Amino acid sequence: MKWLEHLAKACGAVAACFLCLIGILVTAQIVSRMMGKMIPSSDEFAAWAMASSIFLALPYTMLRGEHIRVTLILQFLPKGLHKSYELLATLLALGFSIWMSYYVIEFVYESYQFNDVSSGIVTVPMWIPQFGMPIGLCIFTLMLLRRLICCLRNQPLEDN
């Protein structure tokens, strides 16, 4: 599933770009305030960039094996139960991710369908800044499915 790994890496790169955008927006806002000006809706754009960076970073973080995992339980479980625990944890995460993906897609579609716009100085159709959420969650769901398949096949879980 090299294509999925490349997709996860691309999501990570886009998430990093959104983080850089936040830094640029905050710096520009500070400089403009020092000159007695303001950048319209810069706070909203920074918040949207933060949300997109969080959701788009999920697949890349999963690829790198950097998600917080409860390894404390594994320390106390007998070695024979480790695989069962990993399978159960992955299945639960996959189910939750599928559920979240469905409702986030529905949420963004409703924003598009009802022409929902931001309430700030600069009006933006809300589906545009919300679009990173379903993309990140759906690719994260695919990454969890990949993890489940790897667990079932006794293959390495992370491709660092």
Side-chain angles (χ1 to χ4, degrees):
M1 292 192 187
K2 281 288 185 199
W3 65 271
L4 187 55
E5 294 171 20
H6 293 301
L7 195 55
K9 289 176 184 177
C11 283
V14 174
C17 289
F18 275 116
L19 286 176
C20 290
L21 178 62
I22 294 167
I24 292 167
L25 284 169
V26 169
T27 303
Q29 185 69 353
I30 291 169
V31 170
S32 68
R33 285 184 182 175
M34 290 171 63
M35 295 188 296
K37 307 277 184 194
M38 77 172 241
I39 300 174
S41 297
S42 65
D43 293 341
E44 285 181 317
F45 285 104
W48 294 332
M50 178 59 76
S52 289
S53 69
I54 290 168
F55 282 93
L56 289 170
L58 289 173
Y60 180 72
T61 308
M62 185 76 195
L63 177 68
R64 301 289 299 164
E66 300 294 334
H67 280 283
I68 297 171
R69 293 176 44 206
V70 184
T71 55
L72 182 63
I73 295 173
L74 285 176
Q75 292 174 354
F76 295 107
L77 282 177
K79 292 279 186 204
L81 294 178
H82 283 209
K83 182 178 178 182
S84 300
Y85 172 77
E86 289 286 346
L87 283 171
L88 179 63
T90 303
L91 275 170
L92 289 172
L94 181 61
F96 184 65
S97 184
I98 290 169
W99 176 78
M100 276 184 57
S101 296
Y102 174 81
Y103 283 104
V104 166
I105 290 169
E106 189 175 291
F107 172 72
V108 174
Y109 179 69
E110 284 177 359
S111 290
Y112 173 78
Q113 192 176 25
F114 296 121
N115 246 354
D116 192 16
V117 294
S118 63
S119 59
I121 297 170
V122 178
T123 57
V124 174
M126 288 304 295
W127 69 269
I128 295 172
Q130 294 169 348
F131 203 63
M133 294 187 315
I135 291 172
L137 275 173
C138 287
I139 298 171
F140 178 65
T141 301
L142 290 174
M143 293 299 293
L144 283 168
L145 181 60
R146 173 185 173 268
R147 178 182 173 84
L148 180 65
I149 291 168
C150 287
C151 283
L152 290 171
R153 292 181 178 171
N154 288 323
Q155 294 175 338
L157 298 173
E158 286 84 26
D159 298 321
N160 297 328

